Amino acid sequence: MMFHWKKAVVIATAAVLALAGCTPADSGPEGSSGGTLTLGLLLPASTFSAQGASWANESPYMQAVYDGLLRAEPDGTIVPHLATEWSYSDDLTVLDLTLRDDVTFSDGTPFNADAAAQNLIRFRDGTSPNASFLVNLADAKAIDDTHLELTLSSPDPALLTYLTQNAGLQESPEAFDNPDVETVPVGSGPYTLNVDETVVGNSYVFDKNPDYWKSEDQHYDKLVMNVYTDSTSLLSAIQGGQVNVSTTSDNTTADQIEAAGYTLSPIENNWWGLIIGDRDGTLNPAIGDPRVRQAINYAFDRDAMLQAAADGRGTVTQQVFPTSSPSFDSALDDTYSYDAVKAKKLLAEAGYPDGFDLIMPSAAALGASNFTLIQQQLGDVGIRVTYEEVQVNDYINTIVTGKYAVTFMALQLDPTDWQLSQFELDKTATFNGFHNDDPTVQGHIATIQTGTAEEAEKAGKALNAYIVEQGWFAPWFRPELNTASDATTDVIVQVGNSYPYLWNIKPKA
């Protein structure tokens, strides 16, 4: 995301500031390694400190300079990297990892289990927006140089996935107290940051690490990562052949990108729609009635929303679980057909035959047309929406602190059911802003955490069905997130991440 949630906002909006500083793409002869890979990114690097690292749209910066303990294949399968083997205790509260013994940080410091332990604790206690990934990590200690033991306060089914992301990044312990730790990374990754050629916030340059332990992942001699915070400047860079690869922020430019000779590789990594958060009716009593939440779902013409908001590129949906999840059920996408008459009937049954008033937040940067469509479709069934404009930087806070009963949002499709529940559903979840404590939901989540694989899968399916039936959300669609690549470059998109992983971007063979 992003911050994971921030990636969704970036996809939903175009910033007004265009950043220059493009360099011509030069990936070398087709089928060869070497040369320069130029990437387009939607965000600058918020930090180069592993302790505070963000992921998603910022993952290329981190992957250039840091190795992770584990690695995720494009389909999400977890494979070895710095850790070559791992195993859990029977109660799933102790994770033992065997580490490589041939890796050195760019400052000459050897990588070992003590360094890994320090990095994990440092991330847990650090400033990363994803520091909560390691909330269940009670302790990390080195048994010897190549054996690391992680003790958990409670089982965490997503821990291995987290170790493939920013929570698993490894920085030289000798750099922890460097005054320039935020701007000069010291990792063991395939590249090193060229500070002299980098223009912070605009263009970042990386040189091939000559001592990298896994040379087969170094597909280029040099990387350039240019920042484009609005769709107009990005499109211009693509049409001018100034980038080899970039994610895109606006599907309405897709035809123009393809006309420029680029290939679009789509993936659906988030959902758009409404968070119907006030499920206990704390702010607006009407929202506490499931029939009202169901009426809201019936009020939306999802096909029309997809066409209007994402140029028709994506898939309509009525569930927040991704198709890659064992809990996904295609039948649930037929729960709420567009039916204004049925919506009005449900409102009348709930005691609101004349509809009711609903205050929602809006932010111009998230697209005025999105809020107009919401107001029109809900208005057609008698729900009178009034908006209160908030600054885009404050928009997330209005959701996670429960300031509004219903909010428009685009949220990530997490790769595991546990991650999704901890992000959106659990009583302590970030995007359960009202901290609804539903016994049915909490029971299914507990089974996902501690049950057998079979029990967890059954609980996940039941959880998905329950929140759809109860109208916890009103999802509209999963938009395509497209990665554009030129004729000299091959790209494989990554499940659960807004940017392809760096090692899956290669010269075309």
Side-chain angles (χ1 to χ4, degrees):
M1 118 189 56
M2 134 15 207
F3 290 67
H4 274 211
W5 48 263
K6 278 196 173 178
K7 81 178 174 190
V9 177
V10 169
I11 293 166
T13 171
V16 296
L17 178 63
L19 296 179
C22 309
T23 59
D26 176 19
S27 59
E30 290 191 20
S32 68
S33 295
T36 298
L37 172 69
T38 303
L39 302 178
L41 283 91
L42 305 179
L43 292 174
S46 56
T47 180
F48 273 104
S49 167
Q51 178 190 38
S54 293
W55 201 241
N57 280 303
E58 296 186 42
S59 58
Y61 302 118
M62 299 299 110
Q63 291 172 342
V65 295
Y66 292 120
D67 282 314
L69 289 176
L70 298 172
R71 178 172 283 191
E73 298 282 27
D75 66 357
T77 301
I78 298 168
V79 297
H81 197 52
L82 291 181
T84 59
E85 299 177 10
W86 57 91
S87 62
Y88 269 107
S89 62
D90 290 342
D91 65 358
L92 304 178
T93 61
V94 178
L95 175 63
D96 291 307
L97 300 104
T98 301
L99 308 180
R100 299 186 66 91
D101 62 1
D102 58 350
V103 176
T104 303
F105 294 106
S106 60
D107 64 356
T109 303
F111 166 74
N112 55 32
D114 182 62
Q118 291 185 62
N119 272 286
L120 290 168
I121 297 298
R122 184 174 165 83
F123 186 88
R124 182 197 66 186
D125 300 338
T127 57
S128 169
N130 303 123
S132 61
F133 282 178
L134 299 184
V135 67
N136 293 315
L137 179 64
D139 194 21
K141 65 180 180 180
I143 305 303
D144 55 42
D145 279 353
T146 60
H147 292 89
L148 175 67
E149 181 182 87
L150 306 186
T151 302
L152 306 181
S153 56
S154 59
D156 191 331
L159 180 60
L160 295 177
T161 296
Y162 294 148
L163 295 183
T164 72
Q165 300 174 0
N166 45 351
L169 297 178
Q170 298 299 299
E171 182 178 27
S172 171
E174 296 299 317
F176 289 169
D177 296 324
N178 286 353
D180 56 4
V181 67
E182 298 280 339
T183 56
V184 182
V186 183
S188 64
Y191 298 88
T192 57
L193 179 67
N194 187 321
V195 177
D196 292 336
E197 295 185 20
T198 290
V199 179
V200 174
N202 186 322
S203 181
Y204 300 79
V205 180
F206 302 84
D207 297 321
K208 186 176 180 179
N209 179 357
D211 301 316
Y212 190 51
W213 61 275
K214 195 177 183 186
S215 59
E216 62 267 30
D217 281 353
Q218 296 173 299
H219 305 305
Y220 299 90
D221 292 332
K222 190 171 187 175
L223 304 180
V224 178
M225 301 186 190
N226 293 325
V227 180
Y228 305 95
T229 58
D230 69 281
S231 59
T232 301
S233 62
L234 176 58
L235 178 60
S236 295
I238 289 172
Q239 290 176 325
Q242 295 173 317
V243 296
N244 298 108
V245 174
S246 181
T247 50
T248 60
S249 60
D250 185 353
N251 280 342
T252 63
T253 64
D255 290 342
Q256 293 166 281
I257 291 172
E258 289 179 319
Y262 283 69
T263 298
L264 291 176
S265 300
I267 193 167
E268 296 177 352
N269 271 338
N270 61 77
W271 64 267
W272 286 29
L274 301 185
I275 300 175
I276 311 178
D278 190 15
R279 298 151 197 148
D280 296 325
T282 304
L283 289 182
N284 190 319
I287 303 301
D289 193 313
R291 292 169 294 187
V292 171
R293 302 196 296 269
Q294 292 164 356
I296 290 174
N297 272 277
Y298 280 114
F300 285 102
D301 183 339
R302 288 170 170 82
D303 290 308
M305 296 297 287
L306 175 63
Q307 187 62 45
D311 200 37
R313 293 177 180 261
T315 307
V316 296
T317 190
Q318 297 171 28
Q319 54 194 305
V320 300
F321 283 75
T323 57
S324 59
S325 166
S327 302
F328 179 83
D329 183 354
S330 59
L332 292 175
D333 284 336
D334 294 325
T335 304
Y336 301 107
S337 57
Y338 173 50
D339 192 334
V341 173
K342 191 164 188 176
K344 291 177 181 179
K345 181 179 179 181
L346 283 166
L347 290 175
E349 291 174 358
Y352 302 95
D354 299 319
F356 64 93
D357 296 316
L358 178 64
I359 300 174
M360 294 179 62
S362 65
L366 299 183
S369 61
N370 293 325
F371 296 101
T372 299
L373 288 168
I374 293 168
Q375 192 173 49
Q376 289 174 346
Q377 302 237 317
L378 291 181
D380 286 346
V381 302
I383 301 175
R384 298 173 292 275
V385 175
T386 301
Y387 289 117
E388 293 182 349
E389 181 72 13
V390 300
Q391 295 298 314
V392 66
N393 291 340
D394 295 328
Y395 191 84
I396 297 297
N397 190 55
T398 69
I399 300 174
V400 301
T401 58
K403 291 184 179 180
Y404 293 92
V406 180
T407 54
F408 162 63
M409 192 55 192
L411 287 181
Q412 71 208 50
L413 291 166
D414 283 304
T416 72
D417 290 355
W418 174 252
Q419 284 176 274
L420 188 150
S421 67
Q422 297 306 292
F423 190 63
E424 301 178 34
L425 308 178
D426 186 82
K427 61 184 178 182
T428 63
T430 301
F431 282 91
N432 184 352
F434 288 84
H435 303 297
N436 309 115
D437 186 1
D438 185 304
T440 301
V441 171
Q442 294 303 131
H444 291 320
I445 291 174
T447 302
I448 291 171
Q449 181 181 20
T450 62
T452 64
E454 183 178 354
E455 291 169 339
E457 182 173 340
K458 183 177 179 180
K461 287 184 178 296
L463 175 61
N464 190 13
Y466 181 78
I467 65 169
V468 170
E469 188 273 331
Q470 288 289 307
W472 274 40
F473 305 91
W476 305 327
F477 55 80
R478 298 184 301 271
E480 286 184 358
L481 173 63
N482 279 292
T483 298
S485 55
D486 68 8
T488 70
T489 314
D490 275 332
V491 169
I492 304 176
V493 293
Q494 185 73 31
V495 166
N497 201 60
S498 54
Y499 212 100
Y501 282 175
L502 195 57
W503 48 88
N504 292 323
I505 302 174
K506 306 176 183 180
K508 189 178 288 293

